[in-house]
Amino acid sequence: MSRSRQPPLVTGISPNEGISWTKVTIRGENLGTGSTDLIGLTICGHNCLLTAEWMSASKIVCRVGQAKNDKGDIIVTTKSGGRGTSTVSFKLLKPEKIGILDQSAVWVDEMNYYDTRTDRNKGIPPLSLRPANPLGIEIDKGRFPQKDLEALFPGMSADFTSENFSAAWYLIENHSTTRFVDNNNVFKTSDSICIVT
């Protein structure tokens, strides 16, 4: 005599609140026999099946989408067990505007970008990304030794995402040989650099 499959039951979600596209781990019982058995997943009324990654019969990882409700159940549907129930809920938060240096509790996946300083691809969190050439002028590095720049600008940095960014250090390090008369957007007036917008 074969035992009939029980419907899915969601007993936990981590984190239990977040903004849209937050990555969550769903835990429970009878969450499917495999990735092909999982045929439905909704969080707060939004279909999250496209982002779902079935890990085991007790764990699924997915991203919360643009939910219809501010708070709602996590419902898993499988071929083997049908539509399930949930003993927990997820609370959708409205996203706050944050600056590049503000701390955030939102999980951010790493992604690749091309680092011009090391001439190779590098994984870095998106909040730390910066354009390779913000002035649009050809970069010419290596004229001044790094140790001399550190001595000239103690406690400062040429990284413009840093709180202690020094524009002078950045210009000396990257544009010390730039001829201002050759560039349509930049020109020299006395001893200062002016950028035309």
Side-chain angles (χ1 to χ4, degrees):
M1 180 174 144
S2 65
R3 235 176 75 190
S4 63
R5 281 263 176 203
Q6 296 293 317
L9 173 64
V10 174
T11 57
I13 185 167
S14 177
N16 62 2
E17 61 180 23
I19 63 170
S20 295
W21 310 117
T22 298
K23 189 175 189 177
V24 294
T25 300
I26 298 166
R27 299 214 178 255
E29 302 169 8
N30 309 312
L31 301 181
T33 58
S35 57
T36 57
D37 190 38
L38 183 64
I39 58 172
L41 173 60
T42 60
I43 299 177
C44 296
H46 183 272
N47 185 352
C48 302
L49 188 60
L50 287 176
T51 63
E53 185 178 354
W54 185 88
M55 309 300 278
S56 70
S58 60
K59 180 179 177 184
I60 298 171
V61 176
C62 74
R63 290 193 179 275
V64 177
Q66 296 284 346
K68 299 172 185 170
N69 306 314
D70 291 336
K71 190 170 185 177
D73 291 337
I74 302 94
I75 305 298
V76 175
T77 307
T78 62
K79 289 179 188 175
S80 60
R83 182 180 166 92
T85 55
S86 176
T87 62
V88 294
S89 59
F90 183 85
K91 182 179 181 184
L92 184 71
L93 303 175
K94 297 201 183 297
E96 295 179 23
K97 292 184 179 180
I98 59 170
I100 194 165
L101 298 176
D102 294 335
Q103 292 183 358
S104 170
V106 177
W107 175 267
V108 180
D109 284 335
E110 290 190 349
M111 59 188 289
N112 286 326
Y113 85 104
Y114 190 77
D115 189 345
T116 56
R117 295 177 300 172
T118 59
D119 197 34
R120 63 187 169 93
N121 284 332
K122 183 176 181 181
I124 191 163
L127 290 178
S128 301
L129 289 177
R130 61 198 185 296
N133 190 355
L135 296 179
I137 305 170
E138 185 176 337
I139 292 177
D140 185 14
K141 287 182 171 272
R143 299 288 181 194
F144 290 89
Q146 192 70 23
K147 289 181 181 179
D148 291 349
L149 290 169
E150 290 171 3
L152 188 60
F153 302 99
M156 301 304 285
S157 171
D159 179 358
F160 51 84
T161 62
S162 172
E163 288 184 17
N164 50 350
F165 167 68
S166 168
W169 183 346
Y170 176 82
L171 291 173
I172 291 170
E173 181 179 64
N174 297 291
H175 302 291
S176 60
T177 60
T178 299
R179 295 185 59 205
F180 300 105
V181 294
D182 292 342
N183 190 300
N184 293 331
N185 297 326
V186 179
F187 62 93
K188 184 173 182 182
T189 61
S190 64
D191 291 336
S192 63
I193 297 173
C194 295
I195 300 175
V196 178
T197 56

